[in-house]
């Protein structure tokens, strides 16, 4: 998603006209994403292993190796494929004079989830079956390959003028986002044990919130690059605006925020009905559930969009390129806020005896 935001800004600034410039940007950014994916997937697997050890007791070596190798293979492979898909989308947007901010970043968010989850389940299943028959040697080979490739990717990034600075400064947002997302995962793990159907709706509220806020962050960043010099907040706005001005009417980006908030309502309603039908095979959603869920999702999205306004402008003021740093924080916060607000919504429905699936359970009894 950071790659999509960076390249979208370059397109809007008119810096992707020369074939040599385009190839240089693509090669450097693909190598950079591979470095970040390798390191981040290794660290997040260690986080998962540590949490598992604390919550479930001692771990087995084969499970540790399976999780680590599967995570690294999934992250690097999915990122490698998605990089070229995004580049194609951005170049096509440039050719047909469309704004890539509206297309590339949400595409990276939505397709990235589907590709990553599918590939993770597929790779983990293959490695699990192989470990049972042949032992752990294949997981050691996978890790050795990535330890060999990592320095090569780093060399490519350091020799590229477009990505060399990001390699040194882009780690704090990525690693911080992993920690924030990890907290969201703990909320999910606890809520799944308590609330029936929570796992069905959690990807929807998190996915829609993350997609919409990534669009807003990318568009704000592009406008700042077009209208100001990094370190100077343009006169039409400030870091801490009133929520009404930031989200509805006031600053130039409020129009986009207002549209995104409006889009979220029918989008969420459609997706929860589809997910419910796929999960149960019939419609079991009640009006109290719809109203409570929409309230939770609106609160999440408006809070995310307002935080996006603050974070992007604060980074700009501190001379940090928001294209490289804002989206990891915002999407991770989207996961945490989405899971937390959805848990509160389920808790509220439980308190008024209108929890999800209760009508079907009562009818069966």
């Amino acid at each position: 998603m950071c790659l999509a935001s960076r390249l979208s800004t370059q397109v809007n600034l008119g810096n992707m006209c020369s074939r040599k410039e385009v190839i240089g940007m693509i090669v450097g950014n693909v190598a950079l994403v591979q470095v970040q994916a390798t390191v981040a997937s290794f660290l997040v697997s260690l986080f998962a292993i540590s949490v598992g050890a604390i919550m479930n007791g001692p771990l087995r070596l084969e499970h540790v190796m399976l999780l680590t190798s599967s995570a690294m293979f999934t992250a690097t492979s999915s990122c490698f494929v998605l990089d070229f898909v995004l580049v194609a989308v951005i170049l096509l947007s440039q050719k047909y004079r469309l704004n890539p901010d509206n297309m590339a970043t949400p595409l990276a968010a939505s397709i990235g989830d589907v590709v990553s989850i599918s590939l993770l389940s597929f790779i983990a299943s293959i490695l699990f079956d192989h470990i049972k028959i042949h032992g752990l040697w294949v997981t050691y080979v996978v890790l050795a390959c990535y330890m060999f490739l990592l320095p090569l990717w780093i060399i490519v990034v350091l020799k590229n003028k477009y990505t060399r600075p990001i390699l040194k400064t882009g780690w704090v947002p990525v690693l911080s986002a992993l920690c924030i997302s990890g907290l969201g995962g703990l909320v999910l793990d606890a809520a799944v044990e308590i609330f029936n159907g929570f796992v069905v709706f959690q990807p929807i509220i998190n996915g829609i919130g993350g997609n919409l806020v990534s669009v807003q962050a990318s568009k704000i960043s592009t406008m700042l690059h077009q209208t100001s010099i990094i370190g100077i907040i343009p006169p039409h706005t400030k870091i801490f605006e009133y929520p009404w001005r930031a989200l509805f009417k006031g600053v130039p980006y409020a129009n986009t925020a207002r549209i995104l908030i409006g889009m979220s309502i029918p989008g969420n309603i459609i997706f929860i009905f589809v997910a419910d039908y796929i999960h149960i095979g019939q419609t079991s959603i009640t009006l109290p559930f719809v109203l409570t869920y929409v309230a939770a999702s609106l609160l999440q999205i408006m809070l995310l969009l307002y935080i996006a306004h603050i974070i992007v402008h604060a980074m700009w003021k501190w001379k940090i390129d928001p294209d490289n740093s804002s989206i990891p924080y915002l999407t991770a916060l989207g996961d945490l806020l989405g899971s937390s607000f959805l848990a509160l919504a389920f808790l509220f429905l439980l308190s008024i005896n209108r929890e999800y699936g209760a009508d079907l359970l009562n009818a069966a009894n």
Side-chain angles (χ1 to χ4, degrees):
M1 294 171 70
C2 289
L3 168 66
S5 182
R6 284 195 297 268
L7 294 183
S8 296
T9 296
Q10 295 303 317
V11 168
N12 286 310
L13 293 176
N15 295 336
M16 291 186 67
C17 297
S18 165
R19 178 173 294 184
K20 182 178 179 181
E21 295 290 315
V22 171
I23 293 175
M25 288 183 188
I26 293 172
V27 171
N29 277 283
V30 168
L32 174 65
V33 172
Q34 287 298 300
V35 173
Q36 292 179 326
T38 302
V39 176
S41 59
F42 178 75
L43 293 177
V44 80
S45 63
L46 292 182
F47 175 82
I49 290 166
S50 302
V51 172
I54 294 171
M55 299 180 66
N56 302 320
L59 294 171
R60 296 167 58 184
L61 177 62
E62 54 265 34
H63 293 168
V64 172
M65 296 301 298
L66 171 65
L67 178 60
T68 305
S69 56
S70 299
M72 295 180 71
F73 190 95
T74 298
T76 53
S77 302
S78 60
C79 284
F80 192 79
V81 172
L82 286 170
D83 286 349
F84 290 100
V85 172
L86 290 174
V87 167
V89 169
I90 290 169
L91 294 179
L92 286 173
S93 301
Q94 181 185 28
K95 180 179 178 180
Y96 293 104
R97 297 183 179 181
L98 302 172
N99 188 350
D101 280 325
N102 297 330
M103 303 172 63
T105 311
L107 183 68
S110 54
I111 296 182
D113 287 344
V114 175
V115 171
S116 298
I117 292 173
S118 302
L119 190 59
L120 178 62
S121 61
F122 176 72
I123 296 301
S125 298
I126 292 177
L127 289 177
F128 182 74
D129 293 336
H130 195 281
I131 289 173
K132 289 195 297 184
I133 300 173
H134 303 288
L136 290 173
W137 69 268
V138 67
T139 59
Y140 290 116
V141 171
V142 170
L143 294 181
C145 288
Y146 285 114
M147 293 303 103
F148 173 76
L149 289 172
L150 182 60
L152 301 181
W153 290 121
I154 291 176
I155 292 172
V156 174
V157 173
L158 290 176
K159 290 186 176 182
N160 190 288
K161 65 178 181 179
Y162 301 104
T163 54
R164 187 185 307 115
I166 306 173
L167 184 64
K168 301 174 183 178
T169 61
W171 290 106
V172 173
V174 173
L175 298 180
S176 300
L178 290 178
C179 296
I180 297 171
S181 293
L183 296 177
L186 295 178
V187 174
L188 170 64
D189 189 56
V192 165
E193 299 293 330
I194 302 172
F195 303 117
N196 175 48
F198 186 90
V199 72
V200 177
F201 302 103
Q202 184 261 356
I204 299 174
I205 191 171
N206 288 1
I208 291 178
N211 285 1
L212 296 182
V213 76
S214 68
V215 173
Q216 181 74 341
S218 185
K219 291 177 77 70
I220 295 175
S221 180
T222 296
M223 185 172 288
L224 289 174
H225 278 94
Q226 291 174 327
T227 61
S228 182
I229 300 172
I230 192 165
I232 300 175
I233 301 296
H236 58 253
T237 188
K238 53 188 177 181
I239 296 177
F240 295 99
E241 286 281 3
Y242 289 111
W244 177 264
R245 284 179 49 82
L247 300 181
F248 296 100
K249 189 175 182 180
V251 299
Y253 344 104
N255 293 333
T256 304
R258 188 171 62 247
I259 293 171
L260 294 174
I261 293 169
M263 289 172 55
S264 71
I265 298 174
N268 270 296
I269 292 174
I270 291 171
F271 280 118
I272 62 174
F273 273 98
V274 171
D276 174 60
Y277 187 82
I278 293 173
H279 177 58
I280 297 181
Q282 59 180 316
T283 300
S284 62
I285 290 180
T286 61
L287 181 60
F289 179 88
V290 173
L291 295 177
T292 305
Y293 179 91
V294 169
S297 66
L298 278 176
L299 182 60
Q300 177 220 24
I301 290 167
M302 288 192 289
L303 189 56
L304 282 176
L305 292 174
Y306 186 66
I307 293 172
H309 178 94
I310 295 173
I311 285 181
V312 172
H313 287 92
M315 288 180 174
W316 189 261
K317 178 68 174 179
W318 298 332
K319 297 184 178 182
I320 301 171
D321 191 344
D323 278 328
N324 302 325
S325 303
S326 63
I327 289 179
Y329 287 114
L330 293 169
T331 53
L333 281 171
D335 290 345
L336 177 58
L337 292 176
S339 298
S340 301
F341 289 160
L342 185 62
L344 291 176
F346 270 75
L347 186 62
F348 171 75
L349 290 168
L350 182 64
S351 68
I352 62 173
N353 296 319
R354 299 306 299 268
E355 63 268 30
Y356 172 73
D359 292 344
L360 287 178
L361 183 61
N362 293 333
N365 292 334

